[in-house]
Each structure stands twice: as structure tokens, then as C-alpha cells.
Amino acid sequence: MILFPAIDIKEGRCVRLIEGRMESATVYSHDPAGIARTWQEQGAEFIHVVDLDGAFAGQPRNRQAIADIVRAVQVPVQVGGGIRDVETIDELLTLGVNRVILGSAAVLQPALVAEACRRYGQRVLVGIDARDGLVAIQGWGKTVQKTALELALEVKELGIERIVFTDIRRDGRLSGPNLAATGRLAKDSGLQVIASGGVSSLADIRALKDLEADGVEGAVLGKALYTGAVKLPEALAIARGERGLC
């Protein structure tokens, strides 16, 4: 299982939100690239970046910070937030981003998802964010009458093989991931799922590791890392199945 330390960027700074509310932002660093280097030094194999301003604006707002992160590390970086056209995908991949995550576009612009899959294959993921089972878009500000599974099956038909699934109610609350919903989504959709939202302890990592057979291939770690509730090297050892920690 792959663990993805998260770097959420707001106005060029590394922050964490609660349930995606911008007014709840806690600033952890003014140097997102430095944070990325720290996670790499602690063993991270992949970095997960979200342009929060971009998610609300509908286009990336923190390009410089993203470029700085990509230059600062040797591990691959995946980026989401406000990616709603092919030109933006091209720009991010040219910057050195390894994978892009389409969010609202999966609901609003399915043709873009299909075209992106045709051009870039597995370098394109879809982020499915759900509040009480229903998909939320546009910075989580709008809920649509579509379930996470319905959207997952739709994007699968468009060529998507991998999704990032976030239970918004768990995000930033250190309340534990929604294991049941995550495992069920992976199993019922047949997609590879990266779990996001709520990871709070090594026990949560173990529980997600147990869902690997259902298609849960990774987990995003956010607030738990920044508060010290989870130490990345220990979490990575569990994710890799190393003896003595599983």
C-alpha cells in the first residue's frame, strides 16, 4: 500500500482544513517545498498536493508553489485542485507533475475526462469527494444528486482506472477513515482507490492495509502527520507489511 503525505496549499502556504472549510485553515508552514523535502527524507514514495485556492477558483492559483515542490523532491508528485481543461493538465505535466487529479470536471465535464484519459492514460486520476454519500464539487461547496459509486462507474467507462476517495465529514477531524464506504467503493467499482480523510493513527493504517485485497491501494495522510499523531516512518513500515508493526 502506498502512503501519500498531503500538502494542501492556500495562498502559497501549507495548511490543513476541517471538512474543506477555508475559514478553518491552520497554517503549518510557509514553505511547502520544504515540507515536501521533509516527507521525502522520512521515506515518502509519493507526494499528494492540493491547490485549495484553485479548487474554489476553478483554475490553479499556486503554480509557483507546485513547481517548487516538484523541483525540491525526487519522488513523484500528484496534484489536484482547479484542473478543468487540457491546457492546465499539459502545463502541470510539463512542470514535472507525475499525475493530475480531476475533481469537479468529472461531474461537469466528462468529455474532458475522456480526452485526458485518451492522451495521458494512468497519469490522470479522478478525485471523488462525498458528503453523506453524495458527491461534492467546486471546492466541496456544492453537492450533486449522485453517489460516489455512480460517479466511479461513470468515470471508469471514460477510461479512469484509479480514484482518490474522500469522505468530507472525516477530513481534518482525525476521526478515522470511513473504512466501510472506502472498501465498498473499491470492491463495487473495480477501481483502484486511494483513501483520503480522517486517518488518525497507525491502527487506521493497519485497517486500510486490510482492504488492499478489495482494491484500496493507498491512503493520503494529512493532519495526523502535521500534528505528530502519526509518524511517517512507522506508517510506511505498516503499509509495506514489515513484520513487527502489522
Side-chain angles (χ1 to χ4, degrees):
M1 186 170 74
I2 301 171
L3 298 184
F4 299 79
I7 300 177
D8 290 0
I9 307 173
K10 180 178 184 290
E11 298 171 354
R13 301 171 297 180
C14 178
V15 307
R16 299 304 302 170
L17 307 184
I18 296 175
E19 293 185 17
R21 299 194 305 270
M22 290 292 256
E23 69 273 12
S24 72
T26 298
V27 178
Y28 283 98
S29 174
H30 291 264
D31 181 17
I35 294 293
R37 280 192 297 270
T38 296
W39 299 143
Q40 178 180 259
E41 290 164 2
Q42 292 185 19
E45 299 171 348
F46 226 117
I47 303 291
H48 177 86
V49 176
V50 178
D51 183 339
L52 294 172
D53 301 300
F56 282 87
Q59 57 182 326
R61 296 296 196 193
N62 290 282
R63 288 177 172 86
Q64 187 58 55
I66 293 168
D68 291 344
I69 289 170
V70 170
R71 284 196 298 266
V73 296
Q74 285 74 55
V75 297
V77 177
Q78 62 184 26
V79 174
I83 304 172
R84 309 218 180 138
D85 54 59
V86 168
E87 291 74 22
T88 300
I89 296 173
D90 281 336
E91 179 185 355
L92 289 169
L93 295 180
T94 300
L95 279 179
V97 169
N98 181 267
R99 301 196 303 210
V100 297
I101 304 167
L102 302 178
S104 299
V107 174
L108 302 175
Q109 301 166 265
L112 170 62
V113 177
E115 175 64 11
C117 287
R118 186 185 70 77
R119 291 193 185 197
Y120 310 111
Q122 292 193 43
R123 299 187 75 182
V124 179
L125 287 67
V126 160
I128 298 181
D129 309 321
R131 181 186 290 112
D132 301 325
L134 294 177
V135 173
I137 60 173
Q138 297 174 335
W140 297 354
K142 179 181 179 182
T143 302
V144 297
Q145 294 304 304
K146 189 185 296 285
T147 67
L149 178 59
E150 287 171 339
L151 182 56
L153 292 174
E154 287 176 8
V155 299
K156 183 179 181 180
E157 286 296 313
L158 297 174
I160 290 292
E161 299 181 18
R162 179 173 287 103
I163 60 175
V164 180
F165 172 62
T166 304
D167 183 327
I168 296 170
R169 296 293 188 197
R170 307 292 181 108
D171 191 69
R173 291 200 170 277
L174 297 178
S175 57
N178 190 332
L179 297 168
T182 303
R184 187 166 57 248
L185 181 61
K187 202 167 187 177
D188 292 350
S189 70
L191 295 169
Q192 294 298 306
V193 174
I194 299 169
S196 175
V199 173
S200 62
S201 66
L202 296 180
D204 290 336
I205 304 296
R206 293 187 185 95
L208 287 167
K209 175 75 172 172
D210 288 341
L211 296 176
E212 252 187 319
D214 291 333
V216 177
E217 71 165 12
V220 175
L221 302 184
K223 192 172 184 179
L225 289 180
Y226 291 89
T227 62
V230 169
K231 304 298 184 185
L232 185 57
E234 295 175 359
L236 288 168
I238 292 171
R240 293 167 183 154
E242 294 178 8
R243 286 187 176 180
L245 289 170
C246 297

